[in-house]
Amino acid sequence: MSEATTETEARPARPRRGDELELRIDSLAQGGRGVARTEGGFVIFVAGGLPGDRLRARVGKSKRSWAEATTVELLEAAPERIPDICVHGDEPCPGAAWQGLPYEMQLAAKQEQVVEALERIGGFTGDEAVEVEPIVAAVEQWRYRNKLEYSFGADTALDAPALGFHARGRWDEVVDVDDCHLASAANNAARNAIREWAAVSGLPAYDRGGSGAGVLRNLIVREGRNTGQVQTRLVTSEAEIPEPPTDLHTVVGERSGGTDGPTGVIGEEFLRERLGDLDLRVSPFAFLQTNTETAERLYAAAREFAGLSSTERVFDLYCGIGTIGLTLAPDAGEVWGIESVADAIVDAEANAELNGITNARFAAGDARLGIRPLVEEAGKPDVVVIDPPRAGLSAKIVRRVLECDAKRIVYVSCNPTTMAPNARQIVDAGYRLTRVRPVDMFPQTPHIEAVALLERVGSR
Ligand SMILES: C[S@@+](CC[C@H](N)C(=O)[O-])C[C@H]1O[C@@H](n2cnc3c(N)ncnc32)[C@H](O)[C@@H]1O
């Protein structure tokens, strides 16, 4: 028998799309799904599975060495599993996939995933290994989100539009939500009031099944957690409709699946929030950390890692409405921020003024294109703070950041699997990864936030 034949025979049988399998989950993968193995050893990532669960799952995508599956029935719950409290009808909340795990286990799993990403993806082992600091717990385990995005859908049983979340894995089906435990009572009340208005208005929900018919698409509810303001934004198709009882009304094009578009102001245009010592205004399309209370802990880590002594020039890349830069400004000589959303930059400037901060400047633009001109204008920074979206930094942006030749780089990340390879690129160019601290911004979900400190080896 040839070697090749032996290898083929040794490979575990690959399940096919649509197969239903009985599986036991033995760990959690990056991204939060449960990991199971078939009897033959084929790896399957199961949405809705937690370690210790025995369940029946339906296979979706099936690749050469792994497949994806969704839970059809929980046959035997893991001993640690706690009953789901955020459920909508028969559906577990799609926004709280880890709610079955006791909170201490969620924290331990996130800590472990940061360690694993740094070791396996970043190659930080041996001399380069970094002791990841204990994860900082969230201030609140439930009802912490300051922003929720709901979808309208047809609900034949109610004979009125449903307003809630997409059922897991079914983008064209919306499950009505009465009380989302990730949202505050005020947020839930605002959503329920708009659902009542929708029922009375007689306006149909937009058909996500492809016909393009219908009007009502989404409702975004944002909340100033420390100001008590609740701001609502209705998203509809282009249609003649009565003025909605929301603060904002966005109209999106026929085929758009998104929620951005021309927006009319009916009530309050800006969300007002207080975060740490800062009073903030936030434009409808500007980013704000979704967990206001725990963002203070995140920014405290960034401040500590930046190690400022009042003279430094700081770059705040991906600055949003300026929150990190403005938090650091009192300890810095000067702060310069770059952000691609122009409205967010207008907010950042307004926020500097609102808080009497005079040593911060902000510019709208792409981080990749904006760094060189910024160095020309401001000079090289002492400290660079980076807070990119989940995709992390492209190799080119890393090169631009390295050209800054900063003494310290503070990397705020919402995805350790992209932070780890970026940190590797930065370290290979002459830095040391000295500190990493995860912060749990998103309890009940697999999402992980972490702050890392990279220090330049040798002087400029
Ligand atoms: C994770 S948020 C961080 C915002 C801010 N640091 C904070 O804590 O609120 C990432 C920000 O990067 C911005 N962004 C995305 N792509 C960008 C790019 N190519 N150049 C500059 N900013 C970008 C987004 O609009 C968003 O405001």
Side-chain angles (χ1 to χ4, degrees):
M1 196 184 287
S2 74
E3 256 182 58
T5 319
T6 316
E7 251 187 58
T8 313
E9 280 178 6
R11 188 175 301 140
R14 170 178 167 180
R16 281 173 310 185
R17 180 182 280 276
D19 284 356
E20 283 199 8
L21 307 171
E22 238 184 78
L23 299 166
R24 183 169 299 273
I25 307 294
D26 35 58
S27 58
L28 286 164
Q30 297 280 354
R33 288 175 298 182
V35 185
R37 282 180 174 71
T38 60
E39 268 179 25
F42 196 87
V43 174
I44 308 202
F45 298 106
V46 187
L50 297 177
D53 285 345
R54 197 169 63 78
L55 44 76
R56 205 152 48 79
R58 186 175 304 121
V59 175
K61 193 186 285 177
S62 182
K63 299 280 193 185
R64 227 169 106 86
S65 57
W66 54 268
E68 294 177 344
T70 45
T71 303
V72 178
E73 188 186 353
L74 185 58
L75 302 170
E76 189 189 323
E80 300 83 5
R81 221 186 217 277
I82 48 178
D84 288 352
I85 65 164
C86 197
V87 283
H88 312 302
D90 293 335
E91 288 281 331
C93 180
W98 276 14
Q99 60 177 310
L101 274 185
Y103 189 56
E104 289 308 315
M105 290 179 71
Q106 294 180 27
L107 291 177
K110 291 182 186 190
Q111 177 89 13
E112 183 50 37
Q113 292 197 347
V114 174
V115 170
E116 190 190 83
L118 289 168
E119 284 179 7
R120 290 213 200 149
I121 307 174
F124 291 99
T125 54
D127 285 355
E128 289 181 329
V130 54
E131 180 113 1
V132 174
E133 297 174 21
I135 186 166
V136 177
V139 176
E140 290 173 80
Q141 293 170 22
W142 289 102
R143 302 206 185 277
Y144 60 83
R145 288 191 66 99
N146 61 24
K147 179 182 178 186
L148 278 112
E149 185 173 315
Y150 304 102
S151 297
F152 285 96
D155 189 327
T156 39
L158 285 178
D159 197 25
L163 181 54
F165 300 125
H166 291 277
R168 193 158 48 203
R170 277 169 284 154
W171 54 271
D172 56 345
E173 204 176 301
V174 172
V175 179
D176 219 24
V177 168
D178 183 50
D179 180 15
C180 174
H181 286 66
L182 295 182
S184 70
N187 181 310
N188 278 304
R191 184 206 54 245
N192 292 345
I194 299 300
R195 183 179 28 234
E196 277 172 34
W197 166 81
V200 173
S201 76
L203 293 169
Y206 173 68
D207 174 19
R208 287 163 214 278
S211 76
V215 176
L216 301 173
R217 293 186 178 222
N218 299 93
L219 177 74
I220 291 101
V221 182
R222 287 181 115 171
E223 191 184 352
R225 305 272 297 187
N226 295 312
T227 60
Q229 182 192 349
V230 176
Q231 186 199 49
T232 50
R233 179 162 69 91
L234 183 72
V235 183
T236 69
S237 305
E238 286 160 347
E240 286 286 321
I241 66 163
E243 190 172 84
T246 51
D247 291 295
L248 304 160
H249 176 200
T250 301
V251 176
V252 296
E254 201 180 325
R255 294 283 156 211
S256 164
T259 58
D260 287 10
T263 298
V265 180
I266 302 153
E268 294 294 326
E269 178 176 7
F270 300 108
L271 181 75
R272 304 280 170 179
E273 179 62 297
R274 189 165 172 81
L275 203 167
D277 293 333
L278 298 171
D279 286 316
L280 301 169
R281 78 162 223 200
V282 193
S283 287
F285 297 104
F287 177 90
L288 177 69
Q289 298 285 349
T290 43
N291 185 335
T292 306
E293 292 84 348
T294 310
E296 292 188 20
R297 296 183 176 179
L298 182 74
Y299 292 168
R303 188 177 189 165
E304 188 184 326
F305 286 10
L308 299 172
S309 60
S310 81
T311 56
E312 293 84 352
R313 180 178 302 129
V314 178
F315 282 3
D316 178 8
L317 306 180
Y318 305 89
C319 68
I321 60 164
T323 40
I324 299 182
L326 295 175
T327 300
L328 301 183
D331 300 334
E334 54 195 77
V335 169
W336 301 77
I338 301 182
E339 156 68 40
S340 59
V341 174
D343 284 354
I345 286 298
V346 180
D347 290 344
E349 281 163 350
N351 288 330
E353 203 177 321
L354 200 61
N355 292 281
I357 293 170
T358 53
N359 62 341
R361 301 275 175 282
F362 298 94
D366 185 273
R368 181 172 62 85
L369 302 173
I371 295 173
R372 278 184 174 172
L374 185 57
V375 171
E376 264 173 41
E377 187 185 349
K380 285 186 172 178
D382 302 290
V383 176
V384 175
V385 179
I386 322 163
D387 185 7
R390 286 182 59 74
L393 308 175
S394 68
K396 195 158 201 171
I397 301 187
V398 171
R399 285 201 294 276
R400 294 288 171 271
V401 169
L402 290 168
E403 282 171 13
C404 291
D405 203 17
K407 196 163 171 235
R408 282 189 290 282
I409 298 173
V410 178
Y411 193 137
V412 181
S413 164
C414 54
N415 185 354
T417 68
T418 54
M419 179 181 78
N422 283 161
R424 164 53 52 203
Q425 290 161 304
I426 295 170
V427 164
D428 285 348
Y431 284 75
R432 266 187 329 123
L433 176 64
T434 52
R435 295 184 74 175
V436 179
R437 183 185 300 169
V439 178
D440 187 23
M441 299 282 283
F442 312 102
Q444 321 307 333
T445 83
H447 295 291
I448 305 177
E449 192 86 19
V451 187
L453 174 62
L454 295 125
E455 295 184 82
R456 196 182 60 212
V457 179
S459 53
R460 195 184 269 172

